[in-house]
Amino acid sequence: MRHQLKKGIGISFKQFKIHPKLSFEEKARLYENLSALLQSGIPIIKILDILSSQNHKSQLFTNIKEGLLSGNSLKDSMKETLYFDELSLALVEVGEKTGELENAFDRLSEYYHHLDETYKDVRSASYYPFFIIFMILFLFGFIIFYFLPNIISLYGGEVPQIGGWTQILIEGCLFIKEYIF
């Protein structure tokens, strides 16, 4: 798909293609299941059928199976789906060449479990700063729009001459209330 901007200039949007993605948790479960099923002696084609029937991403497993049936390696079949990163593909390739595919899937499962836990820890740790920022903004708004106007109304609507930082705060709040909000 090419679009012409000016005479002789074209832009290709192929580089902006959105690739499908699996979450860390989904990858960890996938590799865990593949390892367990391979260790129990089930052939890889049958494993892909089983996973296809149990997973909402059944097209992924169907595509891998079709790649295998057409003579491609497991690594190449997985690569064609665009779901898998280079690390996963490299470990699968090593596992295929050494005959230790179960161990490769075990290691990938452990790796993605660790990444998933780290991702969840970072995400949960980021909630606290956002909460603090929200509370500061809430309290700032409360002081400007409720508390200080009530204090000023106690003085009959006139700003008392207090001096120092309090005077600056009151004048700033009145300015923000009158000219900004």
Side-chain angles (χ1 to χ4, degrees):
M1 172 188 285
R2 289 179 107 25
H3 294 281
Q4 295 294 330
L5 293 178
K6 290 184 179 179
K7 206 176 210 179
I9 299 175
I11 296 177
S12 173
F13 289 102
K14 287 182 182 178
Q15 64 193 10
F16 298 114
K17 182 179 179 186
I18 298 174
H19 297 293
K21 211 173 175 188
L22 294 172
S23 69
F24 294 141
E25 184 179 5
E26 288 174 320
K27 286 181 182 180
R29 276 189 277 124
L30 169 65
Y31 292 129
E32 190 176 332
N33 290 338
L34 284 168
S35 175
L37 292 169
L38 276 173
Q39 287 175 0
S40 66
I42 300 173
I44 191 73
I45 299 295
K46 183 66 177 162
I47 290 172
L48 293 171
D49 285 334
I50 292 169
L51 293 176
S52 177
S53 66
Q54 295 177 352
N55 200 308
H56 68 281
K57 296 194 184 289
S58 62
Q59 188 61 41
L60 165 68
F61 302 111
T62 303
N63 291 344
I64 295 172
K65 180 182 169 186
E66 288 173 1
L68 287 172
L69 291 175
S70 68
N72 292 335
S73 67
L74 180 59
K75 176 218 170 207
D76 292 336
S77 300
M78 291 171 68
K79 186 176 185 175
E80 288 177 9
T81 65
L82 303 176
Y83 275 90
F84 301 97
D85 57 8
E86 290 299 319
L87 174 66
S88 299
L89 296 173
L91 278 174
V92 167
E93 182 178 28
V94 169
E96 282 181 301
K97 289 181 179 178
T98 61
E100 296 291 324
L101 201 50
E102 303 91 8
N103 291 338
F105 287 142
D106 271 339
R107 289 182 187 267
L108 285 168
S109 175
E110 291 171 11
Y111 174 73
Y112 283 111
H113 273 298
H114 178 70
L115 278 182
D116 183 50
E117 289 173 10
T118 303
Y119 173 74
K120 287 178 180 174
D121 288 346
V122 168
R123 191 176 66 195
S124 67
S126 67
Y127 290 143
Y128 182 71
F130 287 120
F131 175 75
I132 296 298
I133 290 170
F134 173 77
M135 289 306 296
I136 288 171
L137 292 175
F138 174 77
L139 290 174
F140 183 72
F142 175 78
I143 290 170
I144 289 175
F145 297 112
Y146 181 75
F147 183 73
L148 284 178
N150 285 338
I151 296 295
I152 292 171
S153 69
L154 292 175
Y155 290 100
E158 294 184 23
V159 179
Q161 297 299 319
I162 300 172
W165 288 105
T166 308
Q167 184 70 31
I168 292 171
L169 178 66
I170 291 173
E171 294 292 335
C173 290
L174 290 174
F175 177 82
I176 288 172
K177 188 173 181 185
E178 187 171 331
Y179 293 106
I180 296 178
F181 291 103

